[in-house]
Amino acid sequence: MKTYITKKSLRNGTKVLPVGEYHSLSWLKNSIFLFLFISIVISCKKDFFQLDRPPQSPWSTLKEFEKSPIGLYYVLFSGDKWNVTWVNSWIVKNSLADDIGWVNDASYGYWRKSKEFNTYTDKNFLNLYRVIGGANWALDFVDTKKGNLFPEITEQDSINNLNRIIGEIHFCRAYAYYLLETTYGHAFVPGGANDSKDIPMPVHFANTTTEAKNPVIGTTKQVWDLIQSDFAIARQLLPEKYINGVMHPSYEVRASKFAASAMLMRTYFQRGEYDKALVECNYIIDQNKGAYDLTEAPIEAYNKSTLSRGNEVIFYAPYYDISLAVKGPNHLSVGNNTYENNGKCNWVESHMTSLVVKRLGWMNDPLNDTTINIAARSDKRFQQLMTVRYPENKQRPGSFFETRNETKNISTVWCWKYYRGSGLWNTNIPLIRLAEVYLTRSIIRYNSSDKPGAADDLNVVRKRAWDVSVGGAFVPITPNDITADIIGDERIVEMFGEADRIDYLRGLKVDVPPGERATERGYTTVPYTSEDFVWSIPQRELIYDISLQ
C-alpha cells in the first residue's frame, strides 16, 4: 500500500480554505506559459536545475512531476538580473523600518513610498502569482488523481520523493503568499477581526479569463491561515536532509523540513502565536542533529561560491549554479557594498541610520566624528559584514567615501554581506540562518518571563560574534540585565540588510520607531498596524481584476 499523502487528506486536518480562483489577464497568460518558459531557460544548462524536456500536464511520471517544484524555485529565486522575486521584496521591506536610511536621490526613486508606483513591487506582484499559479496547477493535479498519482512507483519513492515533491510545492506556494502578505497585506492583530480584504487568494488554477477576473480576495486572517496550513503540510512531508542517489540531485539545495519549520516559526511569529513559534524554534535548535550550528565566523555564511554552505545556513539561493542563467541579483547592490571588481563601491543607496549606530554604541557622534568605538571594533559582524564610509574631507588610508552630497560629509555604516565568495556575483545568498532562530527564541522567552533562557540564547549569538583579540574576554548578558531592547538591537546587528526589521516589529506587535523618516514625514512613531506598511497593489491589476476595483 502506498504511503504518500494527498493534498486532499491534509486539507481536512489543517483547514485549508476552499476559496476561489485567480488572477488578472496578465497573470493568466504568464501562468499558462510558465512551465514552458522555465523548461526552455533551464534546460539549456547542465547542472543542479537541469530539466530533460518540457513538462507536461498532467505529469505522466514521477520524474516529470519533479519539474514542478524546480520551476517554482526558479521563479522565486532566479530570473532576470534586475528582476529576482525575493530581492524585489527585500528592497521594499528594507525601506520601511528604523534601521536603514536611504539617500535622497530623485534619479533612483524611493522604495519606502508604499502608496506610489514602484517598479519592484509592480514586478513582484506578478512574479509571486506566477509561483502560486504553478503551484496550484500541480496541486490540482494531485487532487484530481485522488491518491493514485503514479501507481508504478515503489513505497520508498512514495516516501522519499512523491511526498517530498508535494511538500515542496506547498512550501513554494506558502513562501510566495508570505512575501505577498507581508508586503501588500495588513499586520495580523491577535484577537482582532483581521477581516481587511488584502490580496487575491487562489488555491486552484484559473483556466479561463472569467475565473481569472473574479478571484476571491482573502482577508488578513484567511491569507495567514493558508500560509500556516501550507507550511505545516511542507513541514510534515519534507525530509530533514537530502539522500544522495535517492533524491533528485538539486534537492540538496532545496527546502528541507527545517526550512519549512523556520518559515512556520516566522508565520506563527507574525500571527502573534508565540508559543507555537517557540515549538518550531526548539525543534530547529535542539533536534537538528548537528546539521546547523553557530561555530563558524559570521562571514562563512556569505562567502560560498560552490555547493557548500555555512554551518548556520538552513536555506539559501544557490547562485553558484550557473544553470540558474543569472548572476546574483543586480538590484541587491542598492543595499550592499560589493561591486563588480570585488571591492567596495561608493554608490550604495542605503546605510544604517545614524540613530541606530549611536544607540549601539558604535560611534558617539556619527554626524560629526569618525571615531569607531570598541563595541563595533570587537564585533566580527561589524568587521566582516559591514563597512564604514567616511566623510570626503576625513578619508583614511585605503578607505572609500560616499560621493552623494547628502551623505558625503558624515560617517555611514553600510552592509557588506553579499557577493563575498570567490565567484563574486555567483555567490550563494542565505535566506534562513540559525542565528535568526536563536534571536526569535530569545525574545519569545523574554516576553514569557524566562529571562535566563532569553539570556542564554542571546549569548550564543553574541559570543559567536565577539572578537576576544580586540575586546578581551567575552562578558555574557545576565538575566538581570537583559531587556527587549537589547535583544532587538542585537537582532538589528545580526540581520542588518536582510529585510528582517519591519517583519520583526510587526510580528512583535509594537510600534515602529521612525528612524530617519521622522523629518521626512513629520512623525515620531508609527503603529505596527499603519497603512504605511501596506504596499499598493499594482495599477494594472486594478484595471484587469474586477474584484479589486
Side-chain angles (χ1 to χ4, degrees):
M1 180 177 181
K2 296 291 187 287
T3 59
Y4 54 78
I5 304 173
T6 68
K7 185 178 70 162
K8 183 175 181 180
S9 65
L10 285 166
R11 279 181 173 175
N12 296 331
T14 48
K15 301 181 180 177
V16 174
L17 300 173
V19 296
E21 320 295 339
Y22 192 58
H23 182 46
S24 72
L25 295 177
S26 60
W27 174 89
L28 178 63
K29 178 182 68 176
N30 284 287
S31 292
I32 291 174
F33 294 105
L34 170 64
F35 291 105
L36 178 60
F37 164 76
I38 290 170
S39 300
I40 292 172
V41 172
I42 300 179
S43 60
C44 350
K45 304 288 183 178
K46 184 177 181 181
D47 210 320
F48 266 92
F49 291 93
Q50 178 181 4
L51 297 181
D52 295 327
R53 60 184 184 278
Q56 304 169 23
S57 180
W59 297 267
S60 59
T61 66
L62 182 62
K63 182 178 179 180
E64 289 182 346
F65 195 46
E66 185 87 49
K67 299 169 186 175
S68 175
I70 289 176
L72 302 180
Y73 286 115
Y74 184 86
V75 179
L76 277 171
F77 304 117
S78 185
D80 179 78
K81 59 186 178 181
W82 288 106
N83 181 23
V84 179
T85 305
W86 72 270
V87 187
N88 291 337
S89 294
W90 178 94
I91 291 175
V92 297
K93 285 189 178 185
N94 263 343
S95 73
L96 291 176
D98 62 321
D99 60 331
I100 293 181
W102 292 77
V103 296
N104 189 13
D105 190 332
S107 66
Y108 283 88
Y110 274 92
W111 295 281
R112 66 170 68 99
K113 295 179 180 178
S114 58
K115 301 308 177 187
E116 298 179 11
F117 169 77
N118 179 279
T119 299
Y120 295 115
T121 56
D122 191 67
K123 293 177 179 178
N124 219 33
F125 199 83
L126 175 60
N127 287 348
L128 290 169
Y129 278 106
R130 284 173 172 170
V131 175
I132 291 167
N136 286 341
W137 189 2
L139 293 177
D140 284 350
F141 169 72
V142 173
D143 272 355
T144 300
K145 289 293 185 176
K146 300 185 184 303
N148 192 31
L149 292 174
F150 307 109
E152 74 283 359
I153 65 175
T154 67
E155 183 173 348
Q156 286 303 305
D157 257 342
S158 295
I159 297 172
N160 293 319
N161 292 309
L162 179 54
N163 284 350
R164 169 184 57 77
I165 291 169
I166 295 173
E168 289 184 88
I169 295 168
H170 279 283
F171 178 90
C172 290
R173 183 171 73 173
Y175 201 100
Y177 270 123
Y178 185 93
L179 293 181
L180 281 165
E181 186 62 15
T182 53
T183 304
Y184 305 94
H186 293 80
F188 192 94
V189 179
N194 296 302
D195 56 359
S196 297
K197 295 286 187 178
D198 280 350
I199 58 174
M201 196 181 74
V203 293
H204 300 287
F205 186 80
N207 292 292
T208 67
T209 55
T210 300
E211 293 178 77
K213 292 176 66 175
N214 292 276
V216 169
I217 307 302
T219 65
T220 304
K221 183 179 185 305
Q222 287 174 327
V223 177
W224 279 113
D225 282 351
L226 178 58
I227 294 169
Q228 177 182 324
S229 172
D230 269 352
F231 280 135
I233 293 172
R235 188 189 189 284
Q236 180 180 352
L237 295 182
L238 291 177
E240 292 188 348
K241 62 181 181 180
Y242 165 73
I243 304 176
N244 186 31
V246 174
M247 300 171 180
H248 192 280
S250 69
Y251 183 66
E252 190 167 1
V253 299
R254 284 149 56 177
S256 68
K257 187 183 294 291
F258 290 108
S261 177
M263 291 306 301
L264 198 54
M265 172 198 75
R266 290 179 179 177
T267 300
Y268 287 135
F269 194 81
Q270 290 302 312
R271 293 172 62 99
E273 296 175 342
Y274 307 118
D275 55 337
K276 295 179 180 179
L278 182 61
V279 171
E280 301 306 322
C281 292
N282 292 339
Y283 168 67
I284 297 168
I285 293 171
D286 301 330
Q287 299 183 47
N288 73 66
K289 301 179 180 67
Y292 314 105
D293 60 49
L294 295 181
T295 58
E296 294 180 327
I299 185 64
E300 294 300 321
Y302 301 92
N303 62 5
K304 301 297 185 291
S305 296
T306 66
L307 175 61
S308 62
R309 61 170 178 82
N311 287 352
E312 69 163 316
V313 176
I314 298 172
F315 184 54
Y316 67 88
Y319 292 116
Y320 83 91
D321 182 359
I322 62 173
S323 73
L324 286 170
V326 66
K327 300 183 299 183
N330 282 14
H331 52 317
L332 191 62
S333 60
V334 303
N336 183 63
N337 187 242
T338 304
Y339 195 45
E340 291 183 357
N341 61 359
N342 204 19
K344 300 175 183 178
C345 68
N346 61 357
W347 53 265
V348 175
E349 299 178 48
S350 65
H351 56 269
M352 185 179 288
T353 65
S354 298
L355 294 174
V356 170
V357 172
K358 184 175 182 178
R359 189 171 76 233
L360 294 173
W362 286 4
M363 303 178 74
N364 294 335
D365 186 4
L367 300 181
N368 301 295
D369 188 357
T370 61
T371 304
I372 308 296
N373 294 336
I374 190 70
R377 290 186 287 112
S378 59
D379 194 315
K380 292 179 183 177
R381 295 164 299 190
F382 178 82
Q383 297 172 7
Q384 301 173 3
L385 304 176
M386 303 179 198
T387 189
V388 177
R389 281 295 185 263
Y390 293 99
E392 186 175 18
N393 61 347
K394 296 181 180 180
Q395 292 184 65
R396 299 187 176 188
S399 69
F400 292 76
F401 64 93
E402 171 62 82
T403 59
R404 297 176 190 272
N405 289 331
E406 178 184 351
T407 55
K408 71 178 183 179
N409 292 318
I410 64 174
S411 297
T412 52
V413 177
W414 291 6
C415 178
W416 194 29
K417 285 184 171 179
Y418 305 110
Y419 316 133
R420 298 295 304 281
S422 60
L424 191 57
W425 295 93
N426 290 111
T427 299
N428 303 330
I429 298 180
L431 300 174
I432 304 174
R433 297 187 295 113
L434 187 62
E436 175 193 348
V437 182
Y438 270 103
L439 291 171
T440 298
R441 191 168 74 171
S442 180
I443 191 62
I444 292 173
R445 284 176 161 179
Y446 178 85
N447 288 338
S448 301
S449 299
D450 179 10
K451 291 186 178 181
D456 287 345
D457 285 336
L458 183 70
N459 285 324
V460 171
V461 177
R462 287 169 61 92
K463 186 174 182 180
R464 186 274 292 264
W466 186 256
D467 188 340
V468 296
S469 67
V470 177
F474 174 72
V475 179
I477 293 289
T478 68
N480 290 332
D481 293 333
I482 194 169
T483 66
D485 286 342
I486 288 176
I487 299 171
D489 283 349
E490 190 69 25
R491 189 168 181 131
I492 285 179
V493 177
E494 183 65 42
M495 304 295 289
F496 181 52
E498 297 185 44
D500 172 75
R501 179 68 171 170
I502 190 62
D503 285 352
Y504 177 68
L505 295 174
R506 292 176 93 192
L508 273 183
K509 315 307 173 188
V510 298
D511 292 345
V512 179
E516 292 180 351
R517 294 176 299 143
T519 54
E520 178 191 340
R521 293 188 176 180
Y523 48 54
T524 55
T525 60
V526 187
Y528 76 91
T529 54
S530 171
E531 287 287 335
D532 284 343
F533 307 134
V534 180
W535 291 83
S536 296
I537 290 176
Q539 181 62 33
R540 69 157 182 263
E541 305 302 329
L542 300 177
I543 293 174
Y544 288 118
D545 199 328
I546 296 174
S547 60
L548 291 172
Q549 297 176 2

